[in-house]
Amino acid sequence: MSQAKAYAAFDAESPLGPWNFERREVGEHDVQIEIKYCGVCHSDLHQVRNEWGGSMYPLVPGHEIVGVITKVGSKVKKFKEGDLAGVGCFVDSCRECHSCKDGLEQYCEVHNVGTYNSYERDNKTITYGGYSSQIVVDENYTLKIPKNLDLARSAPLLCAGITTYSPIMQWNIGAGHKVGIVGLGGLGHMAVKIAAAKGSEVTVLSTSPAKEQDARDLGAHNFAVTKDPETLKELRNSFDFIIDTVSAPHDYNLYLSMLKRDGTMILLGAPPEPSPVAGFSLIARRKRLAGSMIGGIPETQEMLDFCAEHNIMSDIELIPISDINNAYERMLRSDVKYRFVIDMATL
Ligand code: NAP
Ligand code: ZN
Ligand code: ZN
């Protein structure tokens, strides 16, 4: 066992604060990573505040982890001490089911082990995330971080990056497609960068008029404020795809009306409460409503290599860990430019 320093939530209401715990021994197939940076995802906030239910306290959030390997188990093949490494939203899975065999471990049909607030495969040991000094992970669930990426700015690729890359690949979104990105936050700004790099025409659909210039700087071709009913009328029947990254309940029917015939809207945002979808929103022009969750290990590595090739990184605000509670409040006000990343040296 080895000591880890961390910041944890102790219940759904109180601010996060310092907490120490023990990581497991480095096993034969494990690597130990000294965490340098950890991104702050809205999913951290949903779980800290128990908005999805099932939160276990103390809860150490964080699933956008990058750092340096400090120890490797005797059978580790991919990594050596001193290598850069990343960990995303899960740290293990059953390895046997169809999804695991297809490299889609996030959809493991038996037991996908979340990086935090989850049970290990023993169904007893609770997992703790990346707002901590170090982590021990099986090498098969650890990613290689390309050297030409800025380390702090690459942390958000481990969740925001792969979550937006995966549907863009799954639905072959690229040149000739008009794509609407709903919500310009952590996921949204990565969706803009990746969809633009794939050659599609990108429109940001935002509730924040002040984000227009940023949206264009990030690579969007158009920007529309969704609070304005006139703009929305103009956008009817406009998009081949809509990628929805919104964290709070909102009207899906409104955005479905902006799809062309045979268009697809992909939900990535996970608001705690359901929103009704009218049958007519889909049947009138044979539209599709879909969802997608993060990405598997092979695709996450592919995404990291794609980002390295195209020089794509997250736009971040680097914060000390002591600012985390304030960062959550700003995230709730949609005031993030465009991902908070914690400098773990401040722990
Ligand atoms: P974020 O940085 O807080 O961004 C969310 C954005 O949504 C905000 O910046 C805002 O953009 C927009 N928004 C917020 N409240 C809204 C409302 N009431 N109506 C319309 N728009 C609103 O959050 P994030 O980290 O990108 O995460 C977004 C969601 O995705 C969360 O629910 C998170 O849990 C989920 N998530 C899902 C996956 C997955 O695998 N599917 C992975 C990671 C995260 P504007 O100011 O531009 O309107
Ligand atoms: Zn996340
Ligand atoms: Zn499985």
Side-chain angles (χ1 to χ4, degrees), residues 94-95 97 100 108-109:
C94 88
R95 305 166 190 226
C97 72
C100 284
C108 176
E109 292 139 42

Side-chain angles (χ1 to χ4, degrees), residues 40-44 46 52 63 89 159-160 163 182-188 204-208 211 223 226 245-250 255 267-271 292-294 331-332 334-336 338-339:
V40 178
C41 179
H42 207 114
S43 303
D44 299 347
H46 287 311
W52 293 339
H63 57 210
C89 298
C159 175
T163 301
V182 191
L184 194 64
L187 264 57
V204 168
L205 302 166
S206 172
T207 59
S208 308
K211 292 182 182 174
F223 182 87
T226 49
T245 74
V246 174
S247 50
H250 56 293
Y255 297 98
L267 302 182
L268 302 180
S292 182
M293 189 170 82
I294 40 177
M331 192 148 70
L332 282 173
S334 301
D335 175 25
V336 189
Y338 276 87
R339 194 58 136 189

Side-chain angles (χ1 to χ4, degrees), residues 124-170:
K124 284 197 289 246
T125 318
I126 292 175
T127 57
Y128 299 112
Y131 298 6
S132 62
S133 52
Q134 53 112 339
I135 189 165
V136 177
V137 184
D138 188 299
E139 67 161 335
N140 295 305
Y141 293 79
T142 307
L143 287 308
K144 285 182 179 285
I145 305 293
K147 284 204 185 84
N148 65 319
L149 292 176
D150 176 86
L151 195 57
R153 294 185 61 199
S154 65
L157 301 180
L158 277 308
C159 175
I162 183 58
T163 301
T164 49
Y165 180 85
S166 186
I168 287 170
M169 298 305 288
Q170 174 65 23

Side-chain angles (χ1 to χ4, degrees), residues 69-336:
I69 304 261
T70 47
K71 215 176 194 182
V72 297
S74 57
K75 294 197 172 147
V76 166
K77 294 198 180 78
K78 261 170 55 181
F79 295 95
K80 58 179 186 329
E81 250 179 70
D83 283 353
L84 297 177
V87 179
C89 298
F90 56 90
V91 289
D92 210 339
S93 65
C94 88
R95 305 166 190 226
E96 302 278 328
C97 72
H98 290 293
S99 294
C100 284
K101 289 212 163 117
D102 287 345
L104 296 167
E105 303 89 346
Q106 77 277 29
Y107 301 125
C108 176
E109 292 139 42
V110 181
H111 184 175
N112 176 268
V113 180
T115 303
Y116 63 85
N117 192 34
S118 179
Y119 286 107
E120 294 278 8
R121 280 163 68 197
D122 65 7
N123 283 317
K124 284 197 289 246
T125 318
I126 292 175
T127 57
Y128 299 112
Y131 298 6
S132 62
S133 52
Q134 53 112 339
I135 189 165
V136 177
V137 184
D138 188 299
E139 67 161 335
N140 295 305
Y141 293 79
T142 307
L143 287 308
K144 285 182 179 285
I145 305 293
K147 284 204 185 84
N148 65 319
L149 292 176
D150 176 86
L151 195 57
R153 294 185 61 199
S154 65
L157 301 180
L158 277 308
C159 175
I162 183 58
T163 301
T164 49
Y165 180 85
S166 186
I168 287 170
M169 298 305 288
Q170 174 65 23
W171 278 274
N172 257 314
I173 303 176
H177 290 140
K178 293 192 178 191
V179 183
I181 310 289
V182 191
L184 194 64
L187 264 57
H189 94 292
M190 289 311 307
V192 170
K193 288 184 187 224
I194 296 169
K198 291 281 182 188
S200 42
E201 186 187 312
V202 176
T203 300
V204 168
L205 302 166
S206 172
T207 59
S208 308
K211 292 182 182 174
E212 173 158 9
Q213 191 55 50
D214 287 351
R216 293 185 190 279
D217 294 345
L218 290 164
H221 306 89
N222 312 297
F223 182 87
V225 179
T226 49
K227 281 176 177 159
D228 177 358
E230 277 311 303
T231 318
L232 293 182
K233 257 191 226 159
E234 282 164 29
L235 286 174
R236 273 197 187 160
N237 201 13
S238 297
F239 300 112
D240 299 289
F241 295 96
I242 291 178
I243 299 177
D244 183 332
T245 74
V246 174
S247 50
H250 56 293
D251 183 8
Y252 294 139
N253 304 290
L254 185 77
Y255 297 98
L256 286 167
S257 74
M258 298 180 207
L259 285 176
K260 291 183 195 170
R261 193 202 73 219
D262 291 319
T264 301
M265 173 154 136
I266 304 147
L267 302 182
L268 302 180
E273 294 93 35
S275 303
V277 174
F280 274 112
S281 297
L282 297 170
I283 62 184
R285 285 201 185 90
R286 200 163 53 187
K287 295 173 184 177
R288 298 165 201 153
L289 181 61
S292 182
M293 189 170 82
I294 40 177
I297 294 294
E299 195 173 50
T300 305
Q301 194 61 59
E302 177 189 305
M303 175 276 311
L304 287 164
D305 298 340
F306 174 85
C307 289
E309 191 187 326
H310 295 265
N311 202 31
I312 294 176
M313 283 166 272
S314 177
D315 285 27
I316 65 165
E317 291 188 53
L318 195 63
I319 57 164
I321 188 92
S322 54
D323 266 11
I324 187 64
N325 295 299
N326 180 43
Y328 280 2
E329 291 309 317
R330 282 187 51 198
M331 192 148 70
L332 282 173
R333 297 197 297 267
S334 301
D335 175 25
V336 189

